[in-house]
Amino acid sequence: MMPALFRRNNLFVLVTYLALSLVPFVPLLFGQSIEHPLRIILMEAAIWLVIWSIFKRPAWFHWLLIPAFIALPTEIYLRKFYNQGISTHHLGIIAETSPRETMEFLGDKVWWLAAILALVVLWWALSWLAASRTRDLDLEGPSRWLGWLVLTAGLCVWLYGQEIGIQAVSTNVASGRTAPPTSVPGTYLGKLPGWAAMPFQTEPLGRTWPFGLAVRGYDFWKEREYLDDLEHKNSQFHFGAHQATHQHTPQIVVMVIGESSRYDRWSLNGYQRETNPLLKKRRTWSVSLMSSPLCQPPACPYQLWFRVSQQPKA
């Protein structure tokens, strides 16, 4: 079995999967630290075993790794310069940024991005071709049943924790004693200890690669659903305010916007795309932009002062 692993196709597939699994440890190359490295290793090993046991052949689950290959350059960039991986916030920015805006932001560097993406796609295609040409990596026999056993045990423990509960970490620092385990009325077994909780939350599971991206994607999908519902509720809300004076009198409109808005991305300031259609209807002829000198979040929003021109006389 061992000599078969060193064949060209087998070795290329294994090295590819190992490289993807080592992404959480990229910060070590930049002198940064990693929290709970052993937990990351154990979780990734268990996930790989379960996925391999379900699909049996790497060629059959290699398609699931496309998002990981595409996101790999962004992940390394964020790890190097911002000491963080891809989060739900980053996925939202990527989803809401149009190709035209991306080209405007990158400028001539867009060709570097295209080259990197081409190399990543080529890497995925070659590794899939190698995985489809070999049967030495098929998981069969007792090894495959081990993966199903890990999956079944994990689901049982997780369901038990969801139904009965998990003990909260409560220790007495002064005496060094730990609170006794609690039990639920009507059950013979108590709550799960804290160390036995399944790490299915976004934070621990999302730190693994490559399948941790699925957790980030699910969290992003739930956030978009919440924002869509919030937008629908806001569209039904009205202040009920009305203008007491005549329309032809000068008006002062004060508008506070978030720090993500840029002066040179307003169509009122000469930007080519239409980004202020509602303000344009107000016949604005003078815009004064002032930014707060403070950097704290409460002081970050911009204050804009619009003076609306008077209607021309007939």
Side-chain angles (χ1 to χ4, degrees), residues 16-38:
T16 296
Y17 293 166
L18 179 61
L20 293 177
S21 302
L22 292 178
V23 170
F25 299 92
V26 168
L28 295 177
L29 301 177
F30 310 129
Q32 303 167 1
S33 59
I34 301 176
E35 297 181 0
H36 308 295
L38 182 59

Side-chain angles (χ1 to χ4, degrees), residues 88-225:
T88 306
H89 175 68
H90 297 123
L91 292 178
I93 295 176
I94 295 174
E96 295 176 358
T97 303
S98 64
R100 181 176 179 179
E101 292 173 334
T102 303
M103 295 184 65
E104 291 178 355
F105 176 77
L106 294 176
D108 295 337
K109 296 180 181 179
V110 69
W111 300 111
W112 286 100
L113 177 61
I116 293 174
L117 289 179
L119 290 176
V120 168
V121 172
L122 180 61
W123 182 17
W124 177 89
L126 292 177
S127 56
W128 174 81
L129 188 61
S132 62
R133 288 181 175 179
T134 180
R135 299 303 298 265
D136 297 332
L137 299 178
D138 293 4
L139 198 61
E140 299 177 334
S143 300
R144 190 179 186 188
W145 288 110
L146 178 61
W148 283 102
L149 179 62
V150 171
L151 176 61
T152 304
L155 288 177
C156 290
V157 173
W158 179 72
L159 291 175
Y160 183 89
Q162 293 293 314
E163 183 68 23
I164 306 300
I166 301 173
Q167 295 180 16
V169 180
S170 177
T171 57
N172 192 328
V173 180
S175 60
R177 294 177 299 176
T178 307
T182 58
S183 59
V184 178
T187 60
Y188 295 97
L189 299 177
K191 295 183 178 181
L192 283 176
W195 58 266
M198 290 291 100
F200 290 159
Q201 294 79 12
T202 303
E203 178 57 27
L205 188 58
R207 298 174 73 92
T208 63
W209 258 72
F211 299 105
L213 283 176
V215 180
R216 301 292 183 186
Y218 175 76
D219 192 42
F220 168 72
W221 175 64
K222 295 296 292 184
E223 182 177 287
R224 301 310 299 180
E225 278 194 335

Side-chain angles (χ1 to χ4, degrees), residues 221-237:
W221 175 64
K222 295 296 292 184
E223 182 177 287
R224 301 310 299 180
E225 278 194 335
Y226 168 76
L227 293 178
D228 292 340
D229 181 66
L230 187 62
E231 182 182 3
H232 175 71
K233 292 180 180 179
N234 290 339
S235 64
Q236 305 299 322
F237 175 78

